[in-house]
Amino acid sequence: MCRECNDKENPLSRADYVSVDEMRNIQLTKLKKIVRHCYDNVPLTRLRMDEKGVKPEDIKTLEDMRFLPFMKKTDLRDEYPKGLFGVPMRDIVRFHCSSGTTGKPIVVGSTRGDLDVWIDGVVRSLVMDGITNEDILQVSYGYGLFTGGLGLHYGGEALGCAVVPTSGGNTDRQIMLMRDLGVTAIACTPSYFIHIMDEALKKGVDFRKETKLRHGIFGAEPWTDEIRAKIESVTGIEAHDIYGLTEVSGPGVASSCRCHSGLHVFEDHFYPEIINPDTLEPVPDGTWGELVFTTLDRFGTPMLRYRTRDITRIIPDRCDCGRTIRRIDRISARTDDMLIIRGVNVFPSQIEAGLMTVDKVLPHYHIYVDREGDLDTIEVKVEVTADALGDQIKSLELLRRTIAEAIKKIINISIKVTLVEPHSLPRSEGKMNRVTDNRKK
Ligand code: DLL
């Protein structure tokens, strides 16, 4: 067992190490209570359970969960803004929203207890990452209706860190404060960190010598192990993966530990299932499918079997860190990110993985999908180092072909690759959109 990441003695992590039997007992007790709460207080859930002929008292084991109806993002939209709330307004102490691609946002209301559950997940994530009350944590996720900023803020404070609430944007000031305050950990999207990293390098800042940064808490968007390796090699920090979603609370639903092998789910709060998105049947551990969560102890906007659209699997074996809570694999894609190109399913993360295997390629790219006649076309514009662009035309052509082949090896179709100058593609201070699908226009 890795001594560095074993926090068994830390009381904040106690629930991460309970026996599997104890965990299942905790979950079942909470499940029965939340199902009863939803049935009694959320009209849509009651209606759906009645339609399926299932009553709260029918839930006798965790396996009985499969009789419960699913919930989806469209339910939150249809019931906008407060139709799925499970408590009276006087018990709600915070709203958060998540914007969708279309129309109205979804609204989630939290009680005081719900916020405690959420922050418990964030604190346990930070502990897993090796963060302590000695750390100075710069929170560069956006503050506001998005859960990233306030989630990491309150989690960091609860752990006793000194929090620097920079929010996103004003990158020069982010770099200045990071240096001057001796920031040791930063929380932001991986794409924003890469932007900060680039800007700092442009100013000649050497992360290893001129900052005290040791940890990055990155999430809110898909990113690959290849990007993680790039960040770590350039800056010398340890890059951690934190996962979550507004509907279920926010960041801190699951987190990587220092073994960096998947993400542990705080399953005493958020019960995970993996289903086949076509048949809606649960799949065995180890099989990839859609992640579904039941919030076991959130009462403001309780979610039973919420379909996240995120694709992952439950990792069947126990983690080397000694934690007993289950792990999911890195979330590499969402079902709605899937591009169908000439009948082949392609995920942006697969293209990223191919790009990052090639030397002189920078972690900035954009994917354009189009249709010419009846044929789908796909083009990747990718930034490459300035010295690569200074090379002879022959070498550039070779680089272009190497990239196209690296991607083809993964997705099995040919794509057009265009090499562009450093800093020529748009940057993001929050979540990055890497795809323009002109077929949808
Ligand atoms: O992104 C919450 C969050 C904030 C997570 C900060 C981590 C850090 P939403 O805006 O509701 O909430 O978006 C949730 O983002 O369903 C995933 O598709 C994606 N996502 C979140 N974390 C990760 C991650 C926040 N670590 C949606 N890896 C989720 C991949 C992620 N995708």
Side-chain angles (χ1 to χ4, degrees), residues 274-285:
I274 305 288
I275 60 161
N276 174 326
D278 299 323
T279 64
L280 304 186
E281 289 299 322
V283 298
D285 286 359

Side-chain angles (χ1 to χ4, degrees), residues 74-312:
T74 45
D75 296 329
L76 280 143
R77 258 192 214 125
D78 296 346
E79 297 292 319
Y80 176 87
K82 295 185 264 182
L84 295 180
F85 281 22
V87 296
M89 264 318 295
R90 64 171 176 276
D91 293 335
I92 296 289
V93 299
R94 176 100 63 82
F95 288 107
H96 277 284
C97 294
S98 149
S99 49
T101 39
T102 52
K104 294 202 174 101
I106 56 118
V107 177
V108 169
S110 298
T111 65
R112 165 63 38 209
D114 296 344
L115 294 183
D116 292 344
V117 165
W118 173 17
I119 295 316
D120 183 58
V122 183
V123 169
R124 283 156 69 185
S125 304
L126 294 174
V127 171
M128 246 185 224
D129 297 339
I131 311 277
T132 70
N133 59 2
E134 304 280 336
D135 277 290
I136 302 180
L137 173 67
Q138 182 161 334
V139 179
S140 311
Y141 285 114
Y143 278 62
L145 292 171
F146 174 55
T147 53
L150 289 176
L152 267 300
H153 180 104
Y154 284 114
E157 280 190 0
L159 183 58
C161 301
V163 172
V164 189
T166 46
S167 192
N170 202 340
T171 306
D172 284 349
R173 193 179 58 184
Q174 304 265 3
I175 297 166
M176 180 183 78
L177 290 174
M178 183 188 294
R179 273 208 294 199
D180 296 350
L181 298 179
V183 166
T184 56
I186 186 166
C188 59
T189 59
S191 55
Y192 188 43
F193 185 71
I194 289 170
H195 181 44
I196 295 177
M197 189 171 96
D198 279 359
E199 291 300 304
L201 293 174
K202 261 205 306 200
K203 289 178 190 301
V205 176
D206 179 336
F207 274 86
R208 287 182 174 81
K209 290 201 188 116
E210 292 170 62
T211 77
K212 296 207 166 116
L213 202 62
R214 292 185 300 120
H215 296 284
I217 295 105
F218 303 133
E221 63 186 6
W223 57 306
T224 54
D225 271 326
E226 289 77 9
I227 288 283
R228 182 179 145 236
K230 196 141 228 161
I231 291 174
E232 292 187 340
S233 72
V234 173
T235 61
I237 69 167
E238 188 175 344
H240 308 276
D241 196 357
I242 186 164
Y243 167 82
L245 62 162
T246 315
E247 299 88 315
V248 169
S249 68
V253 170
S255 166
S256 60
C257 67
R258 301 190 81 181
C259 300
H260 297 284
S261 165
L263 297 94
H264 291 275
V265 179
F266 301 108
E267 56 173 321
D268 46 326
H269 300 312
F270 315 109
Y271 189 88
E273 293 174 88
I274 305 288
I275 60 161
N276 174 326
D278 299 323
T279 64
L280 304 186
E281 289 299 322
V283 298
D285 286 359
T287 307
W288 291 82
E290 181 180 343
L291 180 59
V292 169
F293 277 114
T294 296
T295 54
L296 293 175
D297 44 15
R298 282 175 54 89
F299 294 86
T301 318
M303 292 287 142
L304 295 186
R305 306 194 85 197
Y306 182 74
R307 293 183 58 184
T308 64
R309 302 197 156 264
D310 292 324
I311 300 170
T312 184

Side-chain angles (χ1 to χ4, degrees), residues 420-439:
V420 298
E421 284 180 13
H423 306 289
S424 58
L425 294 174
R427 302 295 194 254
S428 151
E429 292 168 356
K431 294 184 193 242
M432 185 75 185
N433 174 19
R434 296 199 184 272
V435 181
T436 304
D437 191 342
N438 291 318
R439 298 173 304 181

